[in-house]
């Protein structure tokens, strides 16, 4: 009788609690590393850990890449809708540092930044991250879970999460990186799932000059360098 009589009041109470949790979460507007946690019975969950975002001032991108990152990614952060970007290119060309730079820009706009450390739980994180929108989710080496030409269970789970109702219509930005773009399943690369692919090439002459300046600026005699 009590359950029936006060069902509406209890439901309203929990709605209020949920609303407070959503709005006042300690993770909202923060940078968070996400790792997999497995209990003794084999159940998998997510472990969140807030970290201090540090952007390197010694990462130099070629002008064309820098322009795309600033004008088509950073400027769009916080806008309504779901966006997914792939940073592709060789080792050491600034993909991860650029993703961190984008994340730092997102923090200034009040976005939460999730750095997924384990590709295996990416689909779980994506479902949970929408509770903290507007938010940004970053996963390195997406080819670890998205390679091959066949659509196996893991691939279908990723695609269903990207396409599904859990993320549709939400204010969500996803950044993937890869050193091996051709290995990524075509189903993941198609427009609508990945909106923009940015190829990080080797530094051009102008970028090399800026890199030398960044590293040598505090050394004696640097003003004499050509």
């Amino acid at each position: 009788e009590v359950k029936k009589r006060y069902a509406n009041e209890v439901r309203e109470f929990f709605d209020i609690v949920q609303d407070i949790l959503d709005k006042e979460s300690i993770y909202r507007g923060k940078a968070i590393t996400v790792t997999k946690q497995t209990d003794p019975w084999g159940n998998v969950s997510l472990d969140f850990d807030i970290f201090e975002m540090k952007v390197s001032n010694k990462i130099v991108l070629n002008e064309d890449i820098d322009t795309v990152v600033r004008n088509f990614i950073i400027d769009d952060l916080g806008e309504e809708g779901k966006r997914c970007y792939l940073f592709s290119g060789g080792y050491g060309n600034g993909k991860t540092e650029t993703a961190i730079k984008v994340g730092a820009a997102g923090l200034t706009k009040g976005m939460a930044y999730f750095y997924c450390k384990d590709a295996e739980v990416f689909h779980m994180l994506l479902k949970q991250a929408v509770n903290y929108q507007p938010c940004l989710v970053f996963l390195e080496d997406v080819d670890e879970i998205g390679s091959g030409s066949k659509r196996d269970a893991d691939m279908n789970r990723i695609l269903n999460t990207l396409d599904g109702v859990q993320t549709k219509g939400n204010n969500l930005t996803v950044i993937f990186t890869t050193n091996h773009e051709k290995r990524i399943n075509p189903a993941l690369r198609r427009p609508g799932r990945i909106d923009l692919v940015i190829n990080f090439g080797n530094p051009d002459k102008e970028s090399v000059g800026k890199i030398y300046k960044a590293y040598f600026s505090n050394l004696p005699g640097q003003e004499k360098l050509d």
Side-chain angles (χ1 to χ4, degrees):
E1 289 179 5
V2 171
K3 285 173 66 177
K4 291 180 180 178
R5 183 181 304 172
Y6 296 106
N8 290 334
E9 285 84 350
V10 171
R11 193 176 297 111
E12 182 181 350
F13 171 76
F14 279 109
D15 286 344
I16 293 171
V17 172
Q18 185 64 56
D19 185 59
I20 293 172
L21 288 173
D22 288 344
K23 292 179 179 177
E24 307 298 330
S25 168
I26 61 171
Y27 301 118
R28 186 170 296 282
K30 298 292 193 304
I32 306 113
T33 56
V34 183
T35 53
K36 182 175 75 169
Q37 196 168 31
T38 307
D39 67 19
W41 297 273
N43 299 310
V44 176
S45 61
L46 302 177
D47 183 47
F48 286 3
D49 186 25
I50 295 174
F51 72 98
E52 182 182 356
M53 181 82 78
K54 293 183 179 180
V55 179
S56 173
N57 62 353
K58 295 181 178 179
I59 299 299
V60 177
L61 302 178
N62 292 340
E63 183 61 32
D64 57 342
I65 300 173
D66 188 61
T67 299
V68 171
V69 171
R70 282 187 286 105
N71 294 342
F72 292 95
I73 298 181
I74 291 179
D75 281 358
D76 284 349
L77 289 175
E79 296 292 330
E80 289 295 326
K82 181 179 66 177
R83 295 169 177 81
C84 186
Y85 306 109
L86 175 64
F87 293 175
S88 174
Y91 296 93
N93 279 348
K95 299 186 299 297
T96 297
E97 289 293 341
T98 300
I100 292 174
K101 180 180 178 180
V102 173
L107 292 181
T108 66
K109 298 185 179 186
M111 299 180 73
Y113 177 80
F114 295 95
Y115 189 164
C116 186
K117 293 283 190 176
D118 193 322
E120 189 178 332
V121 295
F122 169 74
H123 68 286
M124 294 175 59
L125 170 59
L126 212 56
K127 292 178 182 178
Q128 203 159 324
V130 296
N131 295 319
Y132 307 97
Q133 58 179 303
C135 63
L136 194 153
V137 178
F138 171 47
L139 174 66
E140 288 186 281
D141 301 323
V142 66
D143 43 277
E144 289 185 8
I145 55 172
S147 62
S149 57
K150 296 181 179 179
R151 290 180 55 168
D152 57 14
D154 289 337
M155 173 56 64
N156 282 330
R157 190 163 51 186
I158 296 168
L159 298 179
N160 290 338
T161 307
L162 282 174
D163 295 340
V165 294
Q166 296 97 339
T167 58
K168 193 165 290 184
N170 288 296
N171 192 338
L172 174 69
T173 299
V174 178
I175 296 179
F176 296 126
T177 67
T178 181
N179 298 316
H180 310 285
E181 183 183 345
K182 291 184 179 179
R183 293 184 188 175
I184 297 176
N185 192 297
L188 180 59
R189 281 188 285 152
R190 76 166 176 78
R193 288 180 177 140
I194 292 179
D195 301 293
L196 181 64
V197 178
I198 302 178
N199 294 300
F200 285 66
N202 292 330
D204 57 24
K205 184 177 179 180
E206 287 71 22
S207 295
V208 170
K210 292 177 182 178
I211 292 169
Y212 274 105
K213 282 186 178 181
Y215 280 91
F216 290 166
S217 59
N218 295 324
L219 296 180
Q222 58 84 22
E223 70 280 355
K224 299 178 183 177
L225 288 176
D226 183 346

